[in-house]
Amino acid sequence: MAEIIRIKRGLDIPLQGAASSDVSDDRETTLFAIFPDDFPGPVWKSVVKAGDKVSAGDALLKDKASGSICLVSPVSGTVEEVRRGERRHIQFISVRKDSDRQVSLSPASSAEQIRALIMTGGLWAMMRQRPFDIVPDTSRAPRDIFVTAFDSAPLAPQILDPALEPWLEKGLEALSKLTSGKVYLGVKAGSGISSVSATTVEFDGPHPAGNVGTQIAAIKPVNKGETVWTLDAATAARIGKLCATGCVDYHTTVAITGPCVKNPHLIKTEMGASVSTLLDGNLKTTSDIRIISGNVLTGLKIDKDSFIHYPYRQITVIEEGEHADEFMGWASVSPKKFSVKRSFPAFLRGLSKPFDFDARVKGGRRAMILSGEYDKVFPFDIYPEYLIKAIIAGDIDRMEKLGIYEVAPEDFALPEFVDTSKTEIQKIVRDGLDYLRKELS
C-alpha cells in the first residue's frame, strides 16, 4: 500500500471557470511554435531557417554546449519564422503544419540508449534539475527522480491523458535506469495510480500538494551537492512510448479555463498550438482581459496572437480589471471579494464557492514584513521570508543555509499571492537561482 502524506499548509484558490469533461478536437490550428526561454539552462541555437521542411520530431534548436539536447517540432510542415529579439536572441520558432509526417527513431533499452534517445526526441528538455530548476545537466547523474502525476494549481486539468496512461509504466521503468537511486511517483490520494518500477507516494491536501517541489520536500529534500530530476507523468509516459516504439507523442489536451471563457472545456491539439484558434468564439469579451498560458499563479501573460507555452496543459482567461468601478475601490467590503484572512465577509459564505478574480494587485509594493503569512501556505521546512531577503542581498552562504537548493520559483507562487507587500517573489527566486548557478560555475 502506498504511503499517504497529508499537506496541511497551502491554499486552494476558488477561481471560476473550471473546464468541463467535454473534449473537442482542434482541427483548425495550423501554426505552432516553440519558445527556447521555456527551457532554462542551455544556450539554444537554431538549426533551421524559414522555409525549411520539417517532420514532427525534427530538431528546431540544439544546445550550444554539446549539441545533443534538442527542442523539436511538434508537427510536420514548413518553418514559418525564426523570430529574434535584441542581440539576435531567439524568441520562438514557428512551424505551419501541412501533413502528418513523423520522425521514427530506434527504440532504446540500455541507460545510454535511453539518454541519447530522449535528448534527440526533445523530451530531455521537458525535465528539470534541482538545484537551479533548469534542464538537467547531461554530465551529472541524479540522486533520485521525482515524477508528479497530478496538478493542484487553480483550474488545472489532469496531467495524464488517457491515451498516454498505458505508457507510464514503461516510462518509469526507463527512468529507473538513469539513476542509482529511486524513482518516486507522486499521485493524488485515492487516484488508484500505482507503479512497480517506482515508489508510489500519495498526497492529500490543498495546493501546492501537486507541485513536485512539495513532494520532494516531504519525501527526501535536496541537500548541497546533490542533484535530482523532476518531470510530470505525461513526460514520463512520452518517454516510455519513445523508448518502446521510437516515436514521440506530441499531442496534448489543453484546458481552456477562467471566468472570461464562455465554455470552459478541453481541447485535443499538439504542443505549442496557436492560442487565437483555440479561443476563437469562446470568450465573453475581447477587451480588458488577460490571457495566461498556464495557471493564474505561475503562468505567463501572453497575447491572443501568441502560442501555448510549456508545459502545454492550460490556458486561463481573466479580466484585467483596469476599468473596474466598484464602491470604495480597494477598501470595499463586498462579499464577492476573496481574502485569505477574514478581511472581507466572504468567509461567511464559505471559500469553496468560486470567485470571479481579476488581475488587479489592489495595493502598492512596500517593504517586506516578517509577518509569518508565507508560512501558512508554504509547506517546506525552511524560512521563506529570510531566504527571500538573503537572495535579494546576494548572500550565497546564507542562501545555502536557508535552503536555496530545495526550491524553484513555482514553490513561492502561493506566498506571492498572499503577500501583503506585493513582492514579486517568483522573479526574485528565479534571479537568485540564476545568480547562484553563475557564481558556482
Side-chain angles (χ1 to χ4, degrees):
M1 185 175 178
E3 177 187 3
I4 298 180
I5 296 177
R6 289 179 171 82
I7 303 300
K8 297 180 179 179
R9 289 182 290 175
L11 178 67
D12 287 327
I13 299 175
L15 179 64
Q16 289 181 4
S20 68
S21 57
D22 297 336
V23 183
S24 62
D25 286 327
D26 173 25
R27 302 182 184 279
E28 298 181 3
T29 303
T30 59
L31 197 59
F32 299 79
I34 295 296
F35 293 78
D37 286 347
D38 291 344
F39 307 93
V43 177
W44 300 102
K45 64 177 180 180
S46 173
V47 294
V48 295
K49 62 182 183 298
D52 286 353
K53 292 285 187 178
V54 294
S55 299
D58 276 335
L60 300 179
L61 302 110
K62 292 185 177 181
D63 69 299
K64 282 187 177 180
S66 66
S68 58
I69 307 176
C70 300
L71 295 179
V72 303
S73 174
V75 295
S76 61
T78 304
V79 176
E80 182 92 351
E81 181 183 11
V82 180
R83 176 75 61 86
R84 296 181 183 270
E86 294 182 2
R87 303 178 67 179
R88 293 187 56 77
H89 174 74
I90 299 174
Q91 295 180 339
F92 65 81
I93 296 180
S94 59
V95 178
R96 188 167 295 279
K97 181 179 179 180
D98 59 18
S99 65
D100 295 318
R101 300 186 311 272
Q102 185 170 13
V103 172
S104 181
L105 304 170
S106 299
S109 56
S110 68
E112 286 305 312
Q113 289 175 337
I114 292 170
R115 287 172 64 93
L117 187 60
I118 62 179
M119 288 182 199
T120 304
L123 296 178
W124 186 277
M126 295 188 186
M127 300 191 294
R128 292 293 178 267
Q129 168 194 301
R130 295 201 183 195
F132 310 129
D133 189 41
I134 57 174
V135 173
D137 184 346
T138 59
S139 65
R140 300 191 65 177
R143 182 203 71 190
D144 300 297
I145 300 176
F146 293 83
V147 181
T148 181
F150 73 107
D151 190 346
S152 57
L155 306 183
Q158 64 178 21
I159 287 178
L160 200 56
D161 292 343
L164 284 173
E165 193 167 346
W167 299 103
L168 178 59
E169 186 61 35
K170 286 283 187 182
L172 296 173
E173 181 183 350
L175 290 169
S176 68
K177 298 178 182 180
L178 303 183
T179 177
S180 57
K182 292 183 177 181
V183 177
Y184 292 96
L185 177 63
V187 303
K188 189 174 184 178
S191 67
I193 300 175
S194 61
S195 170
V196 297
S197 302
T199 301
T200 304
V201 182
E202 294 188 0
F203 286 85
D204 184 30
H207 183 65
N211 281 8
V212 71
T214 302
Q215 297 172 12
I216 294 172
I219 298 171
K220 193 175 180 181
V222 183
N223 298 310
K224 184 178 181 179
E226 296 178 337
T227 298
V228 302
W229 293 352
T230 69
L231 64 157
D232 60 31
T235 301
R238 291 186 177 99
I239 289 174
K241 185 173 183 178
L242 176 62
C243 292
T245 66
C247 296
V248 183
D249 192 339
Y250 300 106
H251 293 86
T252 185
T253 300
V254 178
I256 309 300
T257 65
C260 292
V261 177
K262 292 180 183 176
N263 176 30
H265 67 293
L266 306 174
I267 297 180
K268 288 184 177 180
T269 184
E270 283 98 356
M271 299 175 181
S274 171
V275 170
S276 60
T277 308
L278 300 182
L279 294 180
D280 186 33
N282 198 20
L283 295 178
K284 294 178 180 178
T285 177
T286 57
S287 62
D288 195 33
I289 59 172
R290 176 172 296 194
I291 301 172
I292 302 167
S293 180
N295 63 73
V296 291
L297 291 175
T298 61
L300 184 67
K301 178 183 176 182
I302 60 174
D303 296 325
K304 189 177 179 181
D305 295 329
S306 187
F307 305 85
I308 305 173
H309 288 250
Y310 172 84
Y312 313 116
R313 283 199 299 267
Q314 182 180 3
I315 297 173
T316 309
V317 188
I318 62 175
E319 290 186 41
E320 282 285 2
E322 292 181 352
H323 305 296
D325 184 13
E326 57 186 357
F327 179 66
M328 296 178 65
W330 64 269
S332 169
V333 291
S334 169
K336 296 181 179 180
K337 285 193 171 184
F338 174 86
S339 176
V340 294
K341 304 179 179 68
R342 296 194 171 188
S343 305
F344 301 98
F347 72 89
L348 295 173
R349 70 170 193 174
L351 299 182
S352 59
K353 185 177 180 180
F355 286 73
D356 184 2
F357 288 83
D358 58 35
R360 285 178 292 167
V361 177
K362 297 182 181 177
R365 294 187 180 90
R366 55 188 73 86
M368 186 185 297
I369 304 169
L370 297 181
S371 61
E373 61 186 354
Y374 298 172
D375 296 326
K376 297 176 182 178
V377 296
F378 189 72
F380 286 63
D381 190 21
I382 62 177
Y383 298 106
E385 290 102 337
Y386 290 101
L387 175 57
I388 296 302
K389 284 182 174 288
I391 294 173
I392 293 172
D395 188 337
I396 292 179
D397 289 340
R398 191 160 176 78
M399 288 158 60
E400 291 179 337
K401 292 177 182 177
L402 290 168
I404 186 69
Y405 294 115
E406 294 185 44
V407 300
E410 70 172 6
D411 299 323
F412 288 84
L414 277 177
E416 183 176 292
F417 176 75
V418 304
D419 183 26
T420 305
S421 299
K422 315 296 182 184
T423 310
E424 293 183 344
I425 304 176
Q426 292 185 79
K427 183 179 185 302
I428 291 172
V429 174
R430 178 75 269 169
D431 292 343
L433 290 170
D434 292 342
Y435 170 74
L436 185 63
R437 181 164 64 99
K438 181 180 178 181
E439 290 297 312
L440 297 181
S441 63

